[in-house]
Amino acid sequence: LCSDISPLLKDPAAFRTLIDLLEDHLRTSFPKIDFIAGLDSRGFLIGPPLAQRLGIGFVLIRKKGKLPGPTESVTYALEYGKAELEIQSDAVEPGQKVVIVDDLLATGGTMCAACELMKRLKAEVLECLVIIELKLLKGSEKLKSVPFYSLLQYD
């Protein structure tokens, strides 16, 4: 139950407070951000309101086959197989500063794949940002030198 964000989404005051906290963190940590990049699919719930608050754009990182036009893709390992993420090839320009958002960090595979996509587009990942981190699974260790922030941590 600790990794279910549904109660936050159902409660407008709680969701507003969540976005307030994330906005405050980003404004304090980074003077310039060009884009928020959201991971399919729950990053799409957090990213757009956060980007709007910051006055910046939002870009999609989706599962394979969901985006139009030319894309960059990366395959990554899951506990039970493989998956593939994509971003549109022109989503960000080289050197642009991006924060990647999702609801949860577990094993870190999806977030690492998103970082790899940004690297291929030559964007600078300022931080990977999540609401909840499951520390027992050590996903943040996979991110290595990429800064990471989570609002809540559970063992």
Side-chain angles (χ1 to χ4, degrees):
L1 293 175
C2 65
S3 61
D4 179 15
I5 65 163
S6 297
L8 281 172
L9 300 173
K10 286 172 53 177
D11 182 332
F15 187 71
R16 185 172 31 262
T17 299
L18 168 68
I19 300 301
D20 288 345
L21 290 168
L22 297 177
E23 177 189 7
D24 290 347
H25 164 72
L26 290 178
R27 285 191 187 279
T28 301
S29 302
F30 304 106
K32 179 166 180 2
I33 303 168
D34 295 304
F35 289 104
I36 299 291
L39 291 173
D40 197 343
S41 67
R42 285 168 282 196
F44 299 171
L45 302 172
I46 305 155
L50 185 55
Q52 186 177 41
R53 290 268 193 97
L54 296 169
I56 60 176
F58 176 78
V59 297
L60 302 166
I61 299 175
R62 299 220 51 195
K63 295 173 182 131
K64 176 105 175 127
K66 303 288 184 182
L67 293 170
T71 60
E72 277 291 323
S73 65
V74 64
T75 302
Y76 63 103
L78 299 169
E79 301 139 77
Y80 48 84
K82 291 186 178 187
E84 201 165 353
L85 284 182
E86 288 184 322
I87 190 168
Q88 288 174 306
S89 300
D90 63 354
V92 297
E93 299 292 323
Q96 287 188 308
K97 299 174 184 318
V98 178
V99 172
I100 302 171
V101 300
D102 203 3
D103 66 325
L104 176 77
L105 185 78
T107 63
T110 306
M111 191 65 81
C112 284
C115 289
E116 176 60 26
L117 286 173
M118 289 299 165
K119 181 179 173 184
R120 290 184 187 180
L121 295 180
K122 298 179 174 53
E124 180 185 348
V125 177
L126 296 174
E127 184 172 75
C128 295
L129 172 66
V130 299
I131 300 169
I132 300 166
E133 176 186 8
L134 302 179
K135 291 188 77 68
L136 184 66
L137 299 176
K138 301 181 180 183
S140 63
E141 292 176 12
K142 285 186 182 171
L143 297 172
K144 298 177 181 131
S145 64
V146 178
F148 173 74
Y149 180 80
S150 58
L151 264 177
L152 300 169
Q153 302 83 34
Y154 293 99
D155 291 321

